[in-house]
Amino acid sequence: MELEGTNEDAQYCVSSILCKPNRDYLIRNNGDQVKADSLKGRIVGLYFSASWCGPCQRFTPDLVEVYNELQQVNKFEIVFVSGDEDNESFDAYFSKMPWLAVPFSDSETREALDELFSVSGIPHLVILDENGKLLTSEGVQVVQEYGSEGYPFTSEQIEKLKEQELEAKRNQSLKSLLVPVAELEGKTVGLYFILATYNGCLAFNPKLVEVYKTLREEGENFEIVMIPLGNDETSFIQEFERLPWFSLPVKDRCCSKLVKYFELESLPTVVVIGPDGKTLQSNVAEAIEEHGVKAYPFTPEKFAELEALEKAKLEAQTLESILVSNDCDFVIGKDGIKIPVSDLVGKNILLYFSAHWCPPCRAFMPKLIQAYQEINKKHNSLEVIFISSDRDQTSFDDFFSKMPWLALPFGDKRKESLSRLFKVRGIPTAVAIDPNGKTVSTEARELIMSHGAEAFPFTAERLKEIEEEYEKMAEGWPEKVKYEKLHEHELVLTKREVFNCDGCSEEGRVWSYYCEDCDFDLHPKCALGGGDEGKSPEGWVCDGDTCYKK
């Protein structure tokens, strides 16, 4: 068999690449042998997959569905090319497939096909036309996006489907998005994309139910249709029984089409369709979290109104306005000592969202403790308040015992409002509040990771000063150096947030002499002070972490 890279003009003799001189057949999962010549005149998909591969396990059921739908045309066949490690695994996986396969025992052919079609990852689906010409080596993506409608998988068919999608968007209506449902006509409809096993969706459900019920009680023409994602029907049913709105069935083909149509990026997502069938908003989940029923009817005018209110609220923000809620007007120190929020007014505050169970939080805390101590040694004006996402009091107590600062009590209801106010989507997160109670930065964690205590007080002005200091640091340094003793390529002076020096193996920050092609870094002190016999290049002197031109 002649091996060569695939290209759009490639054409293959299907029976030749799938067989050997002593084997002219393929097999079914019941052991039947099928002559490879039977594939003549058919469109053939070569499915490179393996039982140990999670993405393969998720994609195979979708491919089975497409295959079964296309059996009526009787001109499409799939051949499984296994990447399994033993015959038992191959048999178990192949038993779920209704198509043909290269025998597992013929490892030579399977390896040759891998090389012939440049298979670098699985699942991988190569589709050949009736004459063995390559239609696409991106069959997985085509099947995921278009299903059986992509048949016969020609570029003309794919272009036709893309044009139909554009036309559908130009003439969008509720009927074009969903099967006609009389109860939805003339209403504002929320399409709620949900994964029933995802905690973010489960936490969002009560808020959405509250908004839905309130609007229904007030007689508003509002309805929700749930778009379930994933294949866990049991979890979906358990959750759906608690929810008061409509839903598409699990694994309905329309679900995947809507995901693609609306270019779904995150969960939860609630797309709002207006009474005219046009998209009003691509995702109002965050607005519902923050404003509840006040976000209705989700029009641009309403969102502009909410934005103005939010801006006014931020301008009026004080430390007490965000940390005091009814009788909750304190934080705690060691041994549970209550400290009034009023005692903290006039200080720089870091709200530290974190949890003991979170590895990145545990990794970040020593850096935060070091910055906290250095800042207060110099300025004595920073306080940190730990806002816990721990699962129980014991975990909270254990984690808090290692912190030299304050905290909200475990389970404090203010955590929810603060997370919503500062749009906390992950932990650790550190939010900087200035002495006037205004928000300075919601990315203080990243600033401390990059600059340590030097980032204080986390303002845009301070960051500008740091950048100017970095630029001044590199004044006079050569833009490029050649250090053949360690690396063959020219190294370019590059700003790098953090790196490991390939010369001394120590961590470096800010400036590196870097080779992008090889991902090779040198500290300036190594690049400029590491010439022959450890001497600095002529005209340079290196002192500590910095090299200076004489």
Side-chain angles (χ1 to χ4, degrees), residues 259-278:
V259 166
K260 181 173 183 292
Y261 183 86
F262 288 109
E263 299 176 0
L264 187 70
E265 294 182 349
S266 62
L267 291 175
T269 286
V270 181
V271 177
V272 177
I273 308 300
D276 61 354
K278 308 300 182 187

Side-chain angles (χ1 to χ4, degrees), residues 30 42 46 63 160-162 186 242 244 305 397 470 514:
N30 62 1
R42 291 190 176 196
L46 303 180
L63 187 58
K160 177 182 175 184
L161 293 173
K162 288 180 178 178
R242 295 191 282 266
E305 178 186 325
D397 291 341
Y470 289 160
Y514 182 56

Side-chain angles (χ1 to χ4, degrees), residues 282-335:
S282 59
N283 189 8
V284 299
E286 190 174 289
I288 288 172
E289 284 272 21
E290 292 185 22
H291 305 289
V293 73
K294 293 179 181 178
Y296 186 80
F298 311 114
T299 58
E301 295 77 15
K302 172 57 71 173
F303 274 49
E305 178 186 325
L306 293 174
E307 188 177 340
L309 291 172
E310 193 68 26
K311 184 178 179 182
K313 185 177 178 181
L314 286 174
E315 290 173 351
Q317 178 180 298
T318 65
L319 187 64
E320 290 171 309
S321 74
I322 61 175
L323 279 182
V324 174
S325 176
N326 298 322
D327 57 342
C328 296
D329 58 355
F330 61 90
V331 295
I332 60 171
K334 301 305 177 185
D335 300 319

